[in-house]
Structures are given as C-alpha cells and as structure tokens.
Amino acid sequence: MSHIISPRLQIDNDPSPSKERGKTGLETIRELDALINRESVKTKLRRIAAQDKEKDIPFNPICEDTTLEACKTVREECEKAHYEPIIRPWTDVSLGYCSYLNLCYGDLMFANNPSLGEGNGPRGGVKECRYMHFQVVPSTSSTPHPAPKLPPLPRNVKKRLLGDKIGDYEPPPVPQWINCDIRTFDYSLLGQFQVIVADPPWDIHMSLPYGTMTDDEMRSLPLRSLQPDWGILCLWVTGRAMELGRELFSAWGYKRVDELVWVKTNQLQRLIRTGRTGHWLNHTCEHLLIALKLPADHPKNAPIPWDTHPTLRQLRKGVDTDVVVAEVRETSRKPDEVYGVIERLAPHGRKLEMFGRKHNTRPGWLTLGNQLGDSQIAEEDLHDRLAHK
C-alpha cells in the first residue's frame, strides 16, 4: 500500500502560541482523515467496471439542513426535499426525536407497515410515542434532479480490472421463488448455486413476531449439497448467532473468509440509538458472515488458492467495502445495497436466498420461504422437477 505525503503536513519548528498549535493540530487531524477516507484510483476503477448499467431514474435529494425550518435560516429558496416534524397531541418536543422515527411501534404512521402484524398484542397495537417523528416535504422543483452517472470504461480496461469473463451471465428476466417449509423441503430438486444467502430465524431467546428454528434444525440443513466446491455462503447473524454461525460453518464444511457489517440508520439517516435487540448493549448493526465451501480433500488450515483456482479467480475481490450504512425498513428486511455487493463479488452462477420474503425476491435469484405466496419459477428444468416431485 502506497503512502501519500501531503506538503501541508509539515512540522513547524517555529514557536507559536498554544492556541495556534491547537489549530494546527486540528487541521492535521482533518488532513489525515481526508487521506484515510480517500478512495484510491484503482479501487474506483474496479468499482466503476463492476457496476451494472444504471437506469436514468430521477430522484430528489434531501437537503443537507434536513428540516425545512433549518433550511430557511440559511437560504431563501431550496429545490430539494426536506423533513418536517409531526406534532401530535401527545408529542413532547422537549424530548427530541424518536430513535425509530417512521418505524416506531408507538406512532400512527407505523400502523400500515406490514412488519407490525395484526391483533391487539404488543406488536399489533399502536401506543402513543411522545418523541418527535418526521415526514417528508416533497421538493418544490418540477424537474427532478438527474441521477449521478459515472463514465463508462472501455472493454479492454474492464478486462484488465475484472478478468476475461465480462457480461457472459444473463440472470432470469424475472424473480423466482418457492413457498415451502425450509425444514422439510426436498433440496435435491434445486440443483446447485454459486451463492447462497440465508437470514435464518435464529432462536436468540427473545420475543419475536415470527417462528424460530432450533440449533439442531439449523445443523441439519443440507447446504453443502447445494453448492459446488468454493461456493459462497453468506449468513446473517446477530447476538449469540454470531458464534453459532461460525460453528455451523465448520459443521457444514465451510471456512469463514470475511464479514460485512450493516450499520442501521433511521429516517433522518442518523444512527439508531435504542435497539430492539441485545441483552447487554443495544444492537445498531447486523453482521453478514461470508464463507467458502471447502473441497472434501482440502486440509482445514491450508491456504485458499485465490490466484490459481479458476472459480476463485472469477471473484471480483476488492471492489466493495465491508460496511453498508442503510436505513431500517420492515422486520427482517435487509438493505438492497447488500445484494449489489454480493452480485459484484460473484457475478457468475445461480444464486439462492433462504428464509426470504416477497421483498427479497429479485432477478437472478431463487428465494425460499414460507411467506411467499404462490410459487413462481422461470427455469423450465426446475419447474419440471418441482411439478413431478
């Protein structure tokens, strides 16, 4: 890794007042922070080369001053969208804003959220949250801002950055899903997948609005039969499931190679402070453990042949980072950005998601779950196997 020495970071041997020395120290900290967070040219080129073709989807960005009232104190007109507080009869402005905002169980606007459930139980009723909540004030501009575009790279540059296989995998044109009980499903009908993503209903010893699976039921899942050697398995974990996930990797014949962290934000893009999960500390993030299926004859502690094995050479390593900062949505719904990271990492081969819901379905993926409704299959051979089971 190369180091860049900025001419601004010079040691000043001249004596100066302590106030000036403090100011210089602050500037130094800012300079170092800018250097650490600066994207390298190679990383940027690989990111551009790996991205999918973007559609010209217009969008209205949120004003950097967030609320309309704060914006008016610094400018007369603004064409961006803003937030405005929702003041209800029971709102106490002095308490500040609610950490959950538009996902708060105690606010009326959450009643239409499908993750709330039905009935009069703790997750089926709406309480009166006294903290402030916000709603979006649409932009006054009649012409939406164009989405930012990155310049395309020549094909020969893409080959040098990503390898020889470019754009030779065409996913199914529509999402596929099978409504089933994952504990008893006949997995021999599915074939194999280069990538498997699972968000299991872990038994984390907490009250949850859905059924959970025991540790033994998780161990009995035949994931190894669903993947070729060096297949990628991504497992969402939190709390005690982090240790259990690593134990399951070993039992299934996988080796953990990396980990992605989802930092959860609320409606105002601020960190969620009051987590609904966690025994000792409130959880404001979730972890996606990434593992490789080892060949049966591969020594457990032997190095991974990243640069010599053809399957591993097709992976686009070094394109994305291991942190995703995204807003929380319905219960168990993960950020769309994570799918992009996985698809760029492993652009070839079939992809399977287990324990999914309708909001998880996407082209190029097969989703399994017990809340998907009528199944939809686009692959003819898979459809025939399921029809004659």
Side-chain angles (χ1 to χ4, degrees):
M1 178 178 179
S2 61
H3 298 274
I4 303 174
I5 306 299
S6 172
R8 292 177 54 190
L9 296 179
Q10 301 292 337
I11 299 177
D12 189 359
N13 295 320
D14 296 333
S16 57
S18 60
K19 183 177 180 180
E20 290 299 322
R21 289 199 301 270
K23 182 178 179 181
T24 302
L26 181 60
E27 290 179 349
T28 302
I29 293 174
R30 289 174 177 172
E31 178 75 13
L32 289 172
D33 183 68
L35 289 173
I36 292 173
N37 290 285
R38 181 182 299 170
E39 184 179 36
S40 69
V41 174
K42 182 178 180 180
T43 301
K44 182 176 181 179
L45 286 173
R46 296 190 70 180
R47 174 171 56 82
I48 296 173
Q51 71 182 2
D52 296 327
K53 294 182 179 179
E54 297 183 0
K55 299 179 180 178
D56 294 331
I57 301 176
F59 73 103
N60 291 317
I62 297 293
C63 176
E64 58 270 18
D65 291 296
T66 308
T67 64
L68 188 60
E69 181 180 1
C71 178
K72 288 181 177 179
T73 61
V74 295
R75 61 182 65 85
E76 294 183 0
E77 296 182 1
C78 182
E79 295 183 348
K80 296 181 180 179
H82 302 81
Y83 286 103
E84 68 176 2
I86 302 173
I87 307 299
R88 306 193 187 280
W90 53 81
T91 302
D92 185 348
V93 179
S94 64
L95 295 177
Y97 69 90
C98 173
S99 179
Y100 290 103
L101 297 175
N102 58 326
L103 290 184
C104 177
Y105 289 139
D107 191 78
L108 296 175
M109 62 182 171
F110 190 77
N112 295 325
N113 193 306
S115 67
L116 182 60
E118 300 177 354
N120 298 319
R123 292 180 180 270
V126 177
K127 299 179 181 180
E128 297 178 354
C129 180
R130 299 171 61 200
Y131 290 84
M132 291 177 61
H133 299 81
F134 293 83
Q135 62 186 357
V136 177
V137 181
S139 170
T140 58
S141 174
S142 58
T143 305
H145 295 259
K149 294 183 178 180
L150 294 172
L153 293 178
R155 186 173 180 83
N156 61 333
V157 176
K158 285 188 176 184
K159 282 188 176 182
R160 292 179 61 186
L161 292 169
L162 304 177
D164 294 332
K165 291 194 175 183
I166 299 175
D168 57 355
Y169 174 70
E170 291 294 334
V174 294
Q176 303 181 94
W177 63 84
I178 301 175
N179 192 70
C180 64
D181 186 340
I182 288 181
R183 296 170 297 180
T184 59
F185 183 73
D186 184 2
Y187 291 97
S188 64
L189 302 171
L190 298 180
Q192 292 194 320
F193 301 85
Q194 184 62 34
V195 175
I196 296 179
V197 176
D199 183 18
W202 303 103
D203 183 6
I204 57 175
H205 309 310
M206 294 186 66
S207 176
L208 298 171
Y210 49 79
T212 60
M213 288 182 63
T214 65
D215 296 354
D216 288 338
E217 288 175 329
M218 289 298 303
R219 289 189 184 92
S220 64
L221 291 177
L223 295 187
R224 185 173 179 83
S225 65
L226 294 175
Q227 292 197 284
D229 291 341
W230 308 119
I232 296 176
L233 174 60
C234 304
L235 203 61
W236 283 104
V237 295
T238 184
R240 80 173 191 91
M242 296 181 66
E243 298 303 322
L244 177 58
R246 293 179 171 88
E247 176 188 331
L248 292 177
F249 282 157
S250 178
W252 291 332
Y254 287 76
K255 182 175 182 178
R256 192 196 73 86
V257 294
D258 216 322
E259 182 174 328
L260 183 145
V261 178
W262 168 30
V263 179
K264 299 180 178 180
T265 59
N266 57 27
Q267 186 184 16
L268 299 184
Q269 304 305 305
R270 297 173 182 173
L271 191 68
I272 290 181
R273 304 189 311 271
T274 310
R276 292 191 182 110
T277 60
H279 296 288
W280 298 90
L281 301 174
N282 290 320
H283 294 171
T284 59
C285 65
E286 290 190 31
H287 301 255
L288 182 68
L289 302 181
I290 303 174
L292 286 176
K293 177 189 171 183
L294 300 176
D297 58 352
H298 187 78
K300 183 177 180 180
N301 297 321
I304 304 296
W306 299 105
D307 298 323
T308 58
H309 196 280
T311 300
L312 295 175
R313 287 175 59 87
Q314 293 179 16
L315 298 179
R316 296 174 177 174
K317 298 193 303 175
V319 174
D320 293 276
T321 64
D322 60 352
V323 177
V324 169
V325 181
E327 184 177 341
V328 172
R329 295 177 291 181
E330 299 96 329
T331 298
S332 299
R333 185 169 183 177
K334 299 303 188 284
D336 295 336
E337 294 87 343
V338 174
Y339 292 96
V341 172
I342 296 171
E343 290 167 353
R344 286 187 291 272
L345 174 64
H348 313 293
R350 300 171 71 209
K351 296 175 176 61
L352 171 70
E353 177 159 16
M354 303 177 64
F355 307 99
R357 301 182 184 182
K358 269 292 180 64
H359 53 236
N360 300 107
T361 60
R362 54 192 285 123
W365 291 72
L366 173 65
T367 305
L368 302 183
N370 61 0
Q371 301 179 26
L372 293 168
D374 293 338
S375 300
Q376 174 174 297
I377 301 298
E379 298 178 12
E380 293 185 5
D381 56 340
L382 176 58
H383 182 276
D384 291 341
R385 291 196 298 271
L386 291 171
H388 294 89
K389 68 174 182 178

